[in-house]
Amino acid sequence: MKSVTGAYFSPTGGTKRALETVCGLLGREAEYIPLTGPDRREKTFGPEELLVLALPVYAGQRPAVPGLLDGLKGEDTPCVLLAAYGNRHYDDALAQMKREMGERGFRCVGAAAVITPHIFAPTLGVGRPDEADCAALEVFARKVLEKLSQPEWAEAEVPGNPSPAPKPAVPVKKDRDWDICLGCGFCAKACPTGAMDPQTLLWDDGKCISCMSCVAHCPVGALGFNSSALAARLTENFSARREVETFV
């Protein structure tokens, strides 16, 4: 393994923190490339490189961002898959990611479902990955490295449906305080699906996936959202702690 690259979609930062944790445990200084935004770029990986792909889970699937993975091309390249979710469940996300990356020339050497803070329910996944998570991920990273040292290895098996029917985005009401809005358009530029008109700065609910990248990138905090009803439902049903799950 000559190098480690971490590729990610992390609208509010939690998925990237989980990615950085895993890459650090692999013992190599990693290069990080975003899959959306102005710094996005295409890259082809060889068989001696390792890609760690980290995506958040939305409604049990990988984010429905058109062309999200199209810039990644492998040549029989080993890949670690990370699904970051807010303590509900990751459902089909890992299986979906494995299929799509396989179609792009990557082989899944290992996969992990990691709990991160839920953007809509603040008490779910708060402070995670925590110490216990990192201990589990350390064991996972060691197993991945041991597997890669073998001359021949089989791809990791992951649960879920690799080709699930698309699910609609969870509708979350967003608003803007026009009194403090600078009109800078950072929010529109940050939107991965082009759901915000760059001129009017209004949302197209048909394109919005409720990733809240627009809210996270506003320099003055002019954007907000109301997820109180959703948060109450999630907190009532999914507060029991879930642990990191790994597959090698």
Side-chain angles (χ1 to χ4, degrees):
M1 182 177 63
K2 294 180 180 179
S3 63
V4 176
T5 299
Y8 64 93
F9 174 58
S10 184
T12 58
T15 299
K16 187 181 181 185
R17 287 192 293 273
L19 171 65
E20 291 170 339
T21 297
V22 172
C23 287
L25 292 170
L26 288 168
R28 300 286 183 89
E29 184 174 348
E31 173 190 10
Y32 294 98
I33 55 174
L35 297 174
T36 61
D39 296 327
R40 176 182 180 174
R41 57 188 174 86
E42 296 186 357
K43 185 170 181 178
T44 299
F45 299 83
E48 299 301 319
E49 298 177 88
L50 175 64
L51 174 68
V52 185
L53 172 67
L55 300 179
V57 177
Y58 296 160
Q61 300 182 5
R62 70 92 149 165
V65 177
L68 181 64
L69 303 177
D70 287 353
L72 303 175
K73 296 178 176 60
E75 297 175 349
D76 205 29
T77 306
C79 178
V80 171
L81 304 175
L82 300 180
Y85 71 104
N87 204 63
R88 187 192 70 81
H89 205 284
Y90 56 94
D91 296 337
D92 299 318
L94 284 176
Q96 190 180 21
M97 291 164 67
K98 180 182 175 181
R99 175 185 62 79
E100 293 192 38
M101 293 304 286
E103 294 169 351
R104 288 164 172 77
F106 295 88
R107 299 179 64 213
C108 177
V109 64
V114 185
I115 296 82
T116 55
H118 200 299
I119 184 63
F120 299 136
T123 61
L124 298 186
V126 62
R128 301 185 69 183
D130 57 18
E131 186 175 349
D133 297 328
C134 290
L137 291 171
E138 184 176 8
V139 173
F140 169 66
R142 185 167 63 249
K143 290 181 178 180
V144 166
L145 293 173
E146 290 173 354
K147 189 173 182 179
L148 285 172
S149 69
Q150 301 170 7
E152 296 183 9
W153 49 267
E155 289 197 61
E157 296 295 328
V158 299
N161 180 358
S163 301
K167 293 181 181 179
V170 177
V172 177
K173 186 181 185 304
K174 298 171 290 296
D175 54 47
R176 180 188 305 272
D177 186 340
W178 291 103
D179 291 334
I180 63 174
C181 175
L182 302 176
C184 61
F186 284 173
C187 49
K189 293 175 183 177
C191 179
T193 62
M196 185 179 291
D197 187 301
Q199 302 301 320
T200 65
L201 301 183
L202 297 178
W203 291 274
D204 179 343
D205 290 336
K207 294 181 179 180
C208 178
I209 60 171
S210 297
C211 71
M212 298 306 157
S213 181
C214 56
V215 176
H217 285 81
C218 179
V220 294
L223 304 187
F225 59 91
N226 184 350
S227 62
S228 55
L230 177 59
R233 186 165 66 252
L234 289 169
T235 302
E236 179 180 1
N237 294 306
F238 304 108
S239 287
R241 178 185 173 96
R242 291 185 61 87
E243 302 298 341
V244 169
E245 294 182 49
T246 60
F247 308 89
V248 180

